[in-house]
Amino acid sequence: MKKIGIFGGTFNPVHSEHVKLASLAVEKLNLDKLFIIPTFISPHKKESVASAEDRLNMLKLAFSEMDKIEVSDYEIKNGGESFTFITVEHFKSVYPDSELYLICGLDMLNDFKRWRFPERILKVCSLCAFGREDYAFDDNVKDYFLKNFHKGYTLLDYNGKKVSSTRIRVYSALGLSIENMTDDKVATYIKNKDLYKGNKYFEYAKSVLPEKRLKHTAEVVIKASSKIRELSLDYEKVYNEISDEKRQHLLTKMIPNVYMLSKDINGNYIIQ
């Protein structure tokens, strides 16, 4: 019986840990084929994303030389919100005599009970999860699975490094190096297409802060983004609830030797 793996996600963008995780999944589960499937619209993530075409292209670059791994545009072609239960049932219909394995991270495992029709997912495939260096796992999840789904999951022996798509986007927006965070071809693609250009506040920070302070700023933004996801808040709503006056106040506190900011006729901040 063939073993087929499914590894889905927004991949906004694909990073080095995605590639390592996929490779290890093929090895540890002895998979005959692993499909990498980018979402069209993720029901789990509220932040804006690069286009489906760009995310698909970056995945193809990252996995172009990897055996047994294929990038699939199934969810992109379907359009709309991408629900896992539909995807796994589709692949089960295509490979009815194969064992299906759904690959995910521990963060997804913690949230699995809130997915659409989780029992249908577990009916057609086995769940396998990898860890991540900066993520704390809830030990009660296993008991929840057994009690509610009457089925467990497999924890794969790998603890990923502190790399994330959020980190790449924030570092890119602040003009910081993303070396070693993703494939060189992907990094070049991001730079050439200016995929994750920051807004005017990022541009202003880039213009006045030294690299060390920019990295600190990046880590603050990454931490805040993580908290927004944890609380299931809307990124745009959180951002828009901060007034321009409040942003100006925060910038004057954050950036030394800046006493007053004002806007030019184009709405950009300038130093006075």
Side-chain angles (χ1 to χ4, degrees):
M1 182 178 289
K2 286 189 175 181
K3 293 183 175 182
I4 305 295
I6 296 172
F7 182 18
T10 310
F11 299 110
N12 183 41
V14 58
H15 55 68
S16 57
E17 289 301 301
H18 289 140
V19 176
K20 291 177 184 177
L21 191 155
S23 179
L24 283 169
V26 170
E27 175 188 342
K28 291 179 180 293
L29 296 172
N30 195 26
L31 299 176
D32 295 285
K33 173 87 66 179
L34 174 62
F35 288 100
I36 310 295
I37 309 174
T39 61
F40 183 69
I41 299 174
S42 172
H44 306 295
K45 296 192 175 181
K46 305 297 185 182
E47 73 269 26
S48 60
V49 299
S51 72
E53 180 184 5
D54 283 326
R55 290 182 287 116
L56 186 67
N57 288 340
M58 288 188 284
L59 283 168
K60 290 178 177 178
L61 289 172
F63 290 101
S64 61
E65 300 176 3
M66 301 192 70
D67 192 29
K68 297 184 178 182
I69 297 179
E70 180 180 329
V71 177
S72 168
D73 62 359
Y74 169 74
E75 291 188 348
I76 289 174
K77 281 187 173 180
N78 273 0
E81 284 194 316
S82 304
F83 292 105
T84 302
F85 78 93
I86 295 174
T87 299
V88 295
E89 288 178 346
H90 164 76
F91 278 87
K92 186 62 177 178
S93 70
V94 176
Y95 301 96
D97 299 322
S98 298
E99 293 182 28
L100 262 58
Y101 295 84
L102 180 63
I103 314 302
C104 68
L106 284 182
D107 53 343
M108 292 291 97
L109 198 60
N110 278 340
D111 293 335
F112 187 74
K113 61 187 176 182
R114 290 189 285 272
W115 288 22
R116 186 74 64 89
F117 300 121
E119 67 283 352
R120 287 173 61 172
I121 297 172
L122 293 175
K123 184 178 179 180
V124 298
C125 68
S126 298
L127 201 57
C128 305
F130 283 96
R132 197 168 79 183
E133 188 176 64
D134 61 341
Y135 193 83
F137 181 58
D138 185 348
D139 292 329
N140 296 319
V141 170
K142 187 173 183 179
D143 291 337
Y144 182 89
F145 265 72
L146 293 175
K147 179 181 178 180
N148 292 275
F149 304 127
H150 310 292
K151 187 174 182 179
Y153 50 80
T154 301
L155 287 178
L156 297 171
D157 186 20
Y158 175 71
N159 188 25
K161 303 300 180 184
K162 196 175 181 180
V163 177
S164 68
S165 297
T166 300
R167 185 173 298 277
I168 292 175
R169 294 195 304 273
V170 173
Y171 269 58
S172 296
L174 288 170
L176 295 167
S177 171
I178 57 173
E179 184 180 3
N180 299 323
M181 295 185 194
T182 190
D183 184 277
D184 289 342
K185 296 186 291 295
V186 174
T188 299
Y189 186 97
I190 291 170
K191 183 177 180 180
N192 289 343
K193 299 206 69 173
D194 204 10
L195 285 187
Y196 301 112
K197 183 179 180 179
N199 59 29
K200 60 187 176 184
Y201 304 107
F202 280 78
E203 292 300 313
Y204 178 76
K206 282 166 58 177
S207 71
V208 297
L209 291 179
E211 183 177 352
K212 184 176 180 180
R213 293 293 299 276
L214 276 175
K215 286 184 176 179
H216 173 75
T217 300
E219 295 305 318
V220 172
V221 173
I222 292 165
K223 187 69 175 178
S225 298
S226 177
K227 181 59 68 173
I228 289 172
R229 283 196 302 274
E230 181 184 325
L231 297 174
S232 299
L233 301 176
D234 185 282
Y235 278 77
E236 292 300 322
K237 184 176 180 181
V238 170
Y239 177 80
N240 289 329
E241 283 184 354
I242 302 176
S243 66
D244 277 345
E245 290 72 24
K246 181 64 174 177
R247 292 192 186 102
Q248 177 173 322
H249 174 69
L250 291 172
L251 280 170
T252 56
K253 290 188 67 175
M254 178 181 72
I255 301 172
N257 303 320
V258 177
Y259 300 100
M260 186 173 179
L261 299 174
S262 64
K263 292 182 181 180
D264 62 19
I265 58 173
N266 296 316
N268 300 313
Y269 278 108
I270 56 175
I271 303 175
Q272 285 189 331

XYZ file of all heavy atoms in Angstrom, residues 102-135:
286
model
N -1.582 13.503 7.055
C -1.665 14.956 7.049
C -0.563 15.514 7.948
O -0.520 15.224 9.145
C -3.035 15.421 7.552
C -3.254 16.935 7.601
C -3.182 17.554 6.207
C -4.601 17.258 8.247
N 0.330 16.302 7.362
C 1.476 16.858 8.094
C 1.132 18.259 8.584
O 0.608 19.088 7.826
C 2.719 16.936 7.179
C 2.906 15.638 6.387
C 3.955 17.272 7.999
C 3.057 14.403 7.229
N 1.426 18.535 9.845
C 1.156 19.874 10.380
C 2.131 20.197 11.502
O 2.916 19.345 11.933
C -0.282 19.974 10.885
S -0.639 18.971 12.356
N 2.087 21.417 11.974
C 2.901 21.824 13.106
C 2.120 21.698 14.402
O 0.898 21.517 14.394
N 2.809 21.796 15.526
C 2.138 21.676 16.821
C 1.089 22.766 17.030
O 0.081 22.541 17.702
C 3.168 21.740 17.955
C 4.007 20.480 18.196
C 4.925 20.697 19.384
C 3.120 19.268 18.439
N 1.333 23.953 16.461
C 0.348 25.021 16.620
C -0.979 24.635 15.982
O -2.053 24.897 16.531
C 0.872 26.338 16.031
C 1.351 26.204 14.592
O 1.581 25.072 14.142
O 1.490 27.231 13.929
N -0.917 23.961 14.829
C -2.146 23.495 14.175
C -2.808 22.370 14.967
O -4.030 22.255 15.020
C -1.841 23.020 12.760
C -1.423 24.108 11.792
S -2.792 25.244 11.373
C -2.497 26.611 12.491
N -1.986 21.546 15.604
C -2.519 20.441 16.401
C -3.320 20.974 17.585
O -4.396 20.471 17.916
C -1.368 19.557 16.895
C -1.728 18.151 17.372
C -2.377 17.348 16.262
C -0.472 17.431 17.862
N -2.814 22.012 18.210
C -3.532 22.636 19.322
C -4.879 23.199 18.891
O -5.849 23.205 19.649
C -2.683 23.763 19.929
C -1.654 23.247 20.916
O -1.770 22.143 21.438
N -0.624 24.035 21.164
N -4.943 23.687 17.646
C -6.163 24.321 17.139
C -7.073 23.361 16.386
O -8.138 23.774 15.910
C -5.799 25.473 16.191
C -5.122 26.624 16.922
O -5.357 26.764 18.133
O -4.369 27.375 16.281
N -6.689 22.107 16.286
C -7.386 21.165 15.409
C -8.879 21.047 15.730
O -9.706 20.906 14.824
C -6.722 19.792 15.489
C -7.253 18.797 14.495
C -6.914 18.902 13.158
C -8.081 17.767 14.899
C -7.395 17.992 12.228
C -8.579 16.846 13.976
C -8.229 16.966 12.640
N -9.229 21.130 16.987
C -10.634 20.985 17.379
C -11.514 22.095 16.809
O -12.734 21.956 16.741
C -10.757 20.953 18.906
C -10.252 22.207 19.605
C -10.252 22.024 21.110
C -9.655 23.243 21.815
N -9.601 23.045 23.285
N -10.899 23.214 16.389
C -11.665 24.316 15.817
C -11.700 24.271 14.288
O -12.285 25.140 13.654
C -11.081 25.655 16.293
C -11.338 25.921 17.775
C -10.938 27.330 18.164
N -9.496 27.480 18.267
C -8.806 27.232 19.377
N -9.435 26.843 20.470
N -7.501 27.382 19.399
N -11.081 23.261 13.697
C -11.106 23.128 12.248
C -12.496 22.696 11.802
O -13.274 22.125 12.580
C -10.074 22.102 11.794
C -8.646 22.542 11.903
C -8.153 23.528 12.705
C -7.530 21.994 11.208
N -6.788 23.624 12.562
C -6.385 22.690 11.646
C -7.388 20.982 10.273
C -5.112 22.406 11.160
C -6.123 20.692 9.789
C -5.000 21.403 10.227
N -12.809 22.916 10.531
C -14.087 22.495 9.979
C -14.103 20.970 9.811
O -13.250 20.394 9.151
C -14.309 23.175 8.628
C -15.669 22.936 7.992
C -16.743 23.716 8.706
N -16.564 25.147 8.604
C -17.060 25.903 7.604
N -17.759 25.346 6.631
N -16.877 27.208 7.608
N -15.045 20.306 10.435
C -15.230 18.850 10.363
C -13.940 18.053 10.630
O -13.489 17.281 9.779
C -15.803 18.448 9.004
C -17.131 19.066 8.694
C -17.307 19.865 7.575
C -18.218 18.865 9.547
C -18.531 20.449 7.298
C -19.463 19.438 9.269
C -19.615 20.228 8.147
N -13.342 18.220 11.811
C -12.104 17.489 12.115
C -12.288 15.974 12.081
O -11.360 15.242 11.729
C -11.744 17.986 13.524
C -13.031 18.479 14.107
C -13.783 19.056 12.948
N -13.496 15.493 12.432
C -13.734 14.051 12.434
C -13.681 13.480 11.015
O -13.243 12.330 10.818
C -15.091 13.730 13.086
C -16.323 14.209 12.338
C -16.603 15.699 12.482
O -15.924 16.358 13.303
O -17.511 16.194 11.780
N -14.062 14.259 10.014
C -13.988 13.804 8.632
C -12.534 13.730 8.161
O -12.170 12.869 7.356
C -14.809 14.717 7.717
C -16.315 14.522 7.899
C -17.144 15.529 7.142
N -16.958 15.488 5.684
C -17.718 16.196 4.843
N -18.698 16.961 5.314
N -17.504 16.120 3.551
N -11.720 14.641 8.660
C -10.292 14.618 8.328
C -9.656 13.337 8.855
O -8.955 12.613 8.131
C -9.578 15.854 8.915
C -10.127 17.138 8.286
C -8.067 15.750 8.711
C -9.620 18.416 8.929
N -9.927 13.042 10.134
C -9.314 11.872 10.764
C -9.876 10.560 10.236
O -9.251 9.507 10.387
C -9.505 11.949 12.280
C -8.749 13.097 12.967
C -9.114 13.153 14.443
C -7.247 12.928 12.790
N -11.022 10.619 9.599
C -11.614 9.399 9.039
C -10.820 8.889 7.841
O -10.736 7.678 7.603
C -13.061 9.662 8.617
C -13.800 8.433 8.098
C -15.245 8.758 7.753
C -15.971 7.528 7.220
N -17.392 7.837 6.888
N -10.201 9.822 7.102
C -9.513 9.413 5.868
C -7.997 9.518 5.946
O -7.296 9.082 5.026
C -10.012 10.239 4.659
C -11.489 9.998 4.425
C -9.728 11.716 4.841
N -7.468 10.084 7.032
C -6.011 10.197 7.104
C -5.516 10.186 8.547
O -6.286 10.361 9.494
C -5.531 11.470 6.405
S -6.012 12.995 7.228
N -4.226 9.973 8.692
C -3.570 10.023 10.003
C -2.893 11.372 10.157
O -2.341 11.928 9.202
C -2.531 8.910 10.116
O -3.141 7.644 10.023
N -2.933 11.907 11.371
C -2.380 13.225 11.648
C -0.966 13.080 12.217
O -0.728 12.299 13.138
C -3.281 13.935 12.657
C -3.225 15.459 12.744
C -3.518 16.104 11.406
C -4.220 15.942 13.791
N -0.032 13.844 11.651
C 1.369 13.808 12.092
C 1.845 15.230 12.314
O 1.681 16.086 11.448
C 2.244 13.129 11.046
S 1.684 11.478 10.584
N 2.452 15.485 13.474
C 2.832 16.854 13.821
C 4.307 16.966 14.182
O 4.885 16.081 14.820
C 1.981 17.347 14.989
N 4.901 18.084 13.764
C 6.266 18.453 14.128
C 6.225 19.607 15.111
O 5.297 20.415 15.110
C 7.043 18.913 12.893
C 7.505 17.805 12.007
C 6.769 17.439 10.899
C 8.688 17.132 12.275
C 7.202 16.431 10.050
C 9.123 16.118 11.444
C 8.387 15.754 10.337
N 7.267 19.708 15.922
C 7.366 20.806 16.874
C 8.071 22.011 16.277
O 8.493 22.011 15.128
N 8.178 23.090 17.084
C 8.888 24.289 16.686
C 9.528 24.887 17.924
O 8.961 24.860 19.011
C 7.937 25.300 16.029
C 8.648 26.364 15.237
C 7.685 27.168 14.377
N 6.965 28.173 15.153
C 6.037 28.961 14.648
N 5.693 28.849 13.393
N 5.430 29.852 15.407
N 10.718 25.446 17.759
C 11.528 25.910 18.876
C 10.813 26.920 19.768
O 10.964 26.909 20.988
C 12.819 26.530 18.323
C 13.850 26.878 19.368
C 15.126 27.381 18.734
O 15.102 28.442 18.087
O 16.155 26.705 18.876
N 10.003 27.786 19.169
C 9.388 28.880 19.929
C 7.926 28.615 20.268
O 7.186 29.537 20.573
C 9.514 30.193 19.154
C 8.821 30.137 17.804
O 8.566 29.018 17.319
O 8.535 31.207 17.242
N 7.505 27.333 20.227
C 6.087 27.056 20.458
C 5.904 26.073 21.611
O 6.544 25.020 21.664
C 5.431 26.495 19.189
C 3.914 26.496 19.284
C 3.191 27.642 18.992
C 3.217 25.373 19.711
C 1.804 27.681 19.099
C 1.829 25.390 19.821
C 1.139 26.542 19.512
O -0.218 26.561 19.632
